[in-house]
Amino acid sequence: MPVTTRTVEYPADGLTMIGHLALPAGAGPRPAVLIGPEGPGLNDFQRRRADALAELGYVALAFDTNGGRWFSDPDEMLAYVMPLLADPGRMREIGHAALDVVRAEPRADPARIAAIGYGTGGAIALELGRDGVDLRAIGTVNALTTGQPGEAARIRCPVWAGVGSEDPIMPPAQREAFTAEMQAAGVDWRLVVYGGALHAFHHPTVDHTVFPGVGHHPRHAQRAWHDIVGLLAECLPVTE
């Protein structure tokens, strides 16, 4: 049986979010994965990632952060994203709304959920962890955000983070702050630095001429995806 997909609309942050839900073949409950997009919004890249995870046996929701919008103008994107990243409550609301969609899906096992995300979506995944949500794993790319003091101690699962060595948005000082937070909280954490990669190195369609400091690195993009799939296989194995 093939993977099945559908668009899901749900409220969050005063917007109507438009997510992409992918369901694996079969009939029984399966582990579920939230997939958060980078700042410009949800596009076919994350939708295809959800489909790929469904092919591996996961219920996968590529969730929305921008009310169905894709920001092609960097100034417009930053005007929306920066206040969001500065507001943990808003990020958690967006994350919890996506969680509610997954938990309401009959094919999803509500006790076995992981969250992965890119950029803004990764920050939202981390905030769910800091909010004490019972996740099996958190995986982020280009999202070395830090939280309120002491809240990382509420993270209840392994955290994997990937970042490009040349990322101007997540420079070495940000890496150090993130790892110090995770270590002080006793989190089971890993950080992979991909040599020579810029911000959004994983994304093949983000225009480096429009969004400064970003650039696709095909080899590292493949490696980062392999690392995320490995994290899920370790922490959230698919069982019939």
Side-chain angles (χ1 to χ4, degrees):
M1 294 175 63
V3 167
T4 59
T5 65
R6 69 174 186 267
T7 298
V8 291
E9 296 188 5
Y10 57 97
D13 197 33
L15 301 170
T16 298
M17 300 299 185
I18 304 173
H20 175 83
L21 183 67
L23 302 177
R30 297 293 178 85
V33 183
L34 299 177
I35 306 170
E38 48 273 284
L42 178 61
N43 68 358
D44 284 342
F45 174 80
Q46 286 88 8
R47 295 185 187 101
R48 287 194 296 270
R49 289 304 197 212
D51 296 348
L53 290 179
E55 290 174 358
L56 295 175
Y58 297 98
V59 172
L61 174 67
F63 65 84
D64 186 11
T65 58
N66 301 351
R69 296 187 63 188
W70 171 269
F71 291 110
S72 57
D73 179 88
D75 292 332
E76 190 177 14
M77 184 269 291
L78 289 172
Y80 178 81
V81 167
M82 296 310 291
L84 175 61
L85 291 173
D87 191 335
R90 285 181 62 198
M91 288 193 284
R92 292 175 184 186
E93 178 188 349
I94 291 171
H96 277 284
L99 270 173
D100 289 344
V101 171
V102 164
R103 287 170 172 162
E105 167 53 48
R107 292 294 313 283
D109 181 346
R112 293 190 295 158
I113 300 175
I116 65 174
Y118 301 85
T120 301
I124 290 171
L126 286 165
E127 282 305 319
L128 285 176
R130 294 185 183 108
D131 200 32
V133 173
D134 184 14
L135 298 171
R136 293 297 181 90
I138 296 171
T140 73
V141 179
N142 306 321
L144 301 182
T145 58
T146 52
Q148 298 298 316
E151 288 190 339
R154 302 171 69 187
I155 295 175
R156 303 161 64 183
C157 64
V159 172
W160 176 94
V163 66
S165 69
E166 307 309 302
D167 185 341
I169 300 171
M170 298 286 159
Q174 185 67 23
R175 292 178 222 159
E176 292 171 8
F178 175 79
T179 58
E181 179 194 26
M182 295 294 111
Q183 185 66 20
V187 175
D188 176 1
W189 64 273
R190 283 171 282 175
L191 174 67
V192 177
V193 180
Y194 296 95
L198 294 167
H199 194 71
F201 69 87
H202 63 280
H203 203 299
T205 62
V206 173
D207 187 348
H208 68 89
T209 65
V210 175
F211 295 97
V214 308
H216 186 220
H217 196 300
R219 186 166 59 253
H220 284 327
Q222 184 177 28
R223 288 168 172 164
W225 177 245
H226 182 268
D227 287 343
I228 287 172
V229 170
L231 172 75
L232 296 175
E234 174 191 342
C235 302
L236 195 70
V238 174
T239 56
E240 294 293 337

